[in-house]
Amino acid sequence: MSRLQHFGWFLSRGFGPHGWARPYYEWNYDWQKPGIYQEGARTLEQAGFDFVLIEDALSLGISPETLDLRVRKAYGGPKHDPWTLTPYLFAATEHLGVIPTANPAGFLPYTAARQFASLQHLSGSRLGVNLVTDVGSAHHFGQQRLPHDAAYDRAQEWIDALRELWHSWGDDALIADPVSQHYADGSRIGALRHRGQYYSFDGPLNAEPFPAGDPIVASPGGSPRGIDFAARNSGIQLALTRLDVASVRAYREKVRAAATLQGRDAADIKTLFVFKPIVTASAEEADRLVRASLHPDDAALREVAEAWSSDLETDLTALDLDRPLDPAVFGEHVSQGTIKGLRGRYDSFADASLRDVLAAKARLGRIGDGDGGAVGTADEIADLIEELGEEADNDGLLFSGDLHPVTLHRMLDDLVPILRRRGILRTEFAPGGLRANLSSF
């Protein structure tokens, strides 16, 4: 029997126009209403997934050119607030964790601590916080744009502040004795006065402590500072790397070693690798799709460039396709992990023209081809997942896509039964919420 792994779903479009510019948009789901997301959440819970993580970006950008790139095909906007969607997902499920994205730029610590505490209680301890440090939205909040490392400094103060507030009630402050009608002991609720580099506020929090632990922190970021932040704070590290045994093992060991240096039990942080497989009915169909992608035309390259321009807040479509990309076009605020993701297999942008870089992103690869391919049959994809679990001791995978029912069923219908039969995917949930499920194996 293979080892169990954890599985999450990365709602990569966020709370936005799901299915836009795809034929399945004509199914007439209304992305602005909760029904499509509730249906998707129930499907993921039925499949045995631990959680759904909701991407978000607070800003459409600054320049008119970037703004147009982000909204023209809805790659980067519009996006509605994932925290307002979250209660609808909890109401539709019993076990599924929900992890919306939060940026310290947009949440004062006291407001965040109170709102998140309320959701943790309402959900039965199923809340997580995907903590990002993007600074592109600073102008919306009257803030100065911070450099990369300073944004992590602020994020560290922010999450420390939330934890101070969450734990401002002592373990024995809550009494709730109906006989004596004594609800809480105010002498056991600590006064709190925070005066930090980025935030100033007073406590204590007027929300009860958590019976099953704080909300889980998830974080992306593959830079040394991002890894260090995850090692110190996160229960889930979102990772991007080639999905082969050596790469997965090396990345996971790096995260676990960093956690150990922070004095944590390395088992308390789960590294989940982003995965967007294309499931085919046969090996022949997989081969056909791969062959068709080998020589993308300029229209296909432009589509890739538009998508990456949104993620990078940098207009790649305005650059010369036949010259190497100058890394100086990216501002300090741009995620190093996203830049590395664009570069792909090239050690440096100087090694190839922008055309080559974009063509590499447009090309598809076969599962098991040694180059991170993601096209294959459900059995072939399950073989890879099993191999990563057995040979790399992988914690799990974060499937990526929108939450449209067509996307979910195309990816999971044939795969879930195979993973279950092999003992890789859970068949039941642990009591106690998201933290309990993550620590159950």
Side-chain angles (χ1 to χ4, degrees):
M1 181 69 71
S2 301
R3 63 187 294 273
L4 283 166
Q5 297 183 48
H6 296 281
F7 294 91
W9 187 274
F10 180 40
L11 179 48
S12 56
R13 191 181 282 270
F15 186 1
H18 286 238
W20 182 254
R22 296 289 185 265
Y24 55 79
Y25 191 76
E26 303 305 323
W27 272 88
N28 287 342
Y29 283 95
D30 188 344
W31 73 268
Q32 299 179 5
K33 302 290 178 60
I36 183 174
Y37 308 98
Q38 291 179 311
E39 182 177 335
R42 284 190 290 264
T43 298
L44 292 174
E45 183 168 89
Q46 186 72 29
F49 276 50
D50 290 71
F51 62 87
V52 56
L53 187 147
I54 311 173
E55 181 270 349
D56 191 35
L58 295 171
S59 178
L60 286 173
I62 300 175
S63 70
E65 296 82 7
T66 300
L67 192 153
D68 183 64
L69 280 170
R70 302 197 84 175
V71 301
R72 185 186 309 161
K73 291 188 177 179
Y75 283 122
K79 291 182 188 291
H80 293 181
D81 179 13
W83 289 92
T84 59
L85 177 63
T86 296
Y88 291 95
L89 304 187
F90 285 141
T93 55
E94 297 180 19
H95 306 286
L96 185 73
V98 181
I99 308 179
T101 295
N103 188 328
F107 287 90
L108 292 174
Y110 190 92
T111 305
R114 188 167 185 249
Q115 179 180 346
F116 301 171
S118 301
L119 288 169
Q120 181 76 331
H121 284 292
L122 285 167
S123 67
S125 303
R126 292 189 282 142
L127 182 70
V129 181
N130 179 40
L131 206 167
V132 301
T133 57
D134 167 60
V135 297
S137 57
H139 62 291
H140 297 308
F141 303 97
Q143 300 171 358
Q144 294 297 315
R145 197 170 205 159
L146 296 177
H148 178 271
D149 282 4
Y152 273 109
D153 292 338
R154 179 176 64 182
Q156 186 61 60
E157 183 181 341
W158 186 83
I159 192 61
D160 286 344
L162 264 64
R163 287 169 172 154
E164 285 182 86
L165 287 161
W166 287 335
H167 295 277
S168 57
W169 285 49
D171 292 338
D172 51 0
L174 180 63
I175 298 172
D177 181 4
V179 175
S180 66
Q181 297 186 355
H182 193 177
Y183 195 81
D185 185 345
S187 69
R188 298 172 182 176
I189 300 175
L192 175 60
R193 187 174 185 271
H194 181 100
R195 300 294 183 268
Q197 182 177 358
Y198 297 98
Y199 302 104
S200 295
F201 60 87
D202 295 330
L205 191 66
N206 67 338
E208 292 183 7
F210 308 121
D214 297 352
I216 286 285
V217 173
S219 62
S223 68
R225 188 63 194 275
I227 295 292
D228 179 72
F229 182 87
R232 180 173 174 178
N233 300 285
S234 300
I236 301 169
Q237 165 69 350
L238 316 179
L240 285 170
T241 194
R242 182 180 299 178
L243 291 183
D244 59 57
V245 169
S247 300
V248 166
R249 183 191 294 116
Y251 196 115
R252 182 174 179 272
E253 288 178 353
K254 178 171 60 175
V255 172
R256 288 170 63 85
T260 301
L261 286 176
Q262 293 288 345
R264 296 181 64 194
D265 183 342
D268 289 341
I269 182 169
K270 307 297 183 185
T271 304
L272 269 65
F273 294 88
V274 177
F275 188 36
K276 194 172 184 178
I278 298 174
V279 185
T280 60
S282 67
E284 292 74 20
E285 181 187 358
D287 292 336
R288 178 185 62 78
L289 287 175
V290 170
R291 284 196 302 271
S293 74
L294 293 179
H295 304 289
D297 58 20
D298 282 358
L301 295 181
R302 182 174 180 83
E303 184 173 353
V304 174
E306 287 177 332
W308 280 90
S309 294
S310 176
D311 289 344
L312 291 160
E313 298 182 54
T314 306
D315 188 1
L316 301 181
T317 68
L319 304 178
D320 188 341
L321 284 175
D322 296 309
R323 295 177 61 85
L325 189 152
D326 183 353
V329 302
F330 303 120
E332 286 189 2
H333 64 285
V334 178
S335 162
Q336 292 299 307
T338 306
I339 294 172
K340 182 179 179 181
L342 174 66
R343 197 173 68 234
R345 62 187 176 87
Y346 295 105
D347 293 330
S348 165
F349 285 119
D351 295 337
S353 67
L354 178 57
R355 180 185 300 277
D356 293 333
V357 171
L358 296 176
K361 308 313 294 184
R363 294 186 188 110
L364 302 175
R366 288 284 273 119
I367 288 287
D369 65 2
D371 200 27
V375 182
T377 67
D379 276 304
E380 290 171 338
I381 293 167
D383 288 343
L384 172 64
I385 295 172
E386 185 172 18
E387 180 183 31
L388 294 178
E390 293 297 310
E391 302 298 327
D393 202 24
N394 188 36
D395 292 315
L397 295 171
L398 186 65
F399 284 73
S400 176
D402 62 28
L403 210 59
H404 197 287
V406 170
T407 303
L408 290 171
H409 288 289
R410 280 179 177 171
M411 203 176 293
L412 300 180
D413 275 358
D414 293 331
L415 185 58
V416 165
I418 297 170
L419 294 177
R420 283 236 169 96
R421 287 195 296 268
R422 297 191 189 188
I424 298 170
L425 177 60
R426 70 164 74 244
T427 57
E428 58 185 23
F429 292 92
L434 178 57
R435 185 177 297 276
N437 280 314
L438 289 173
S439 61
S440 60
F441 53 84

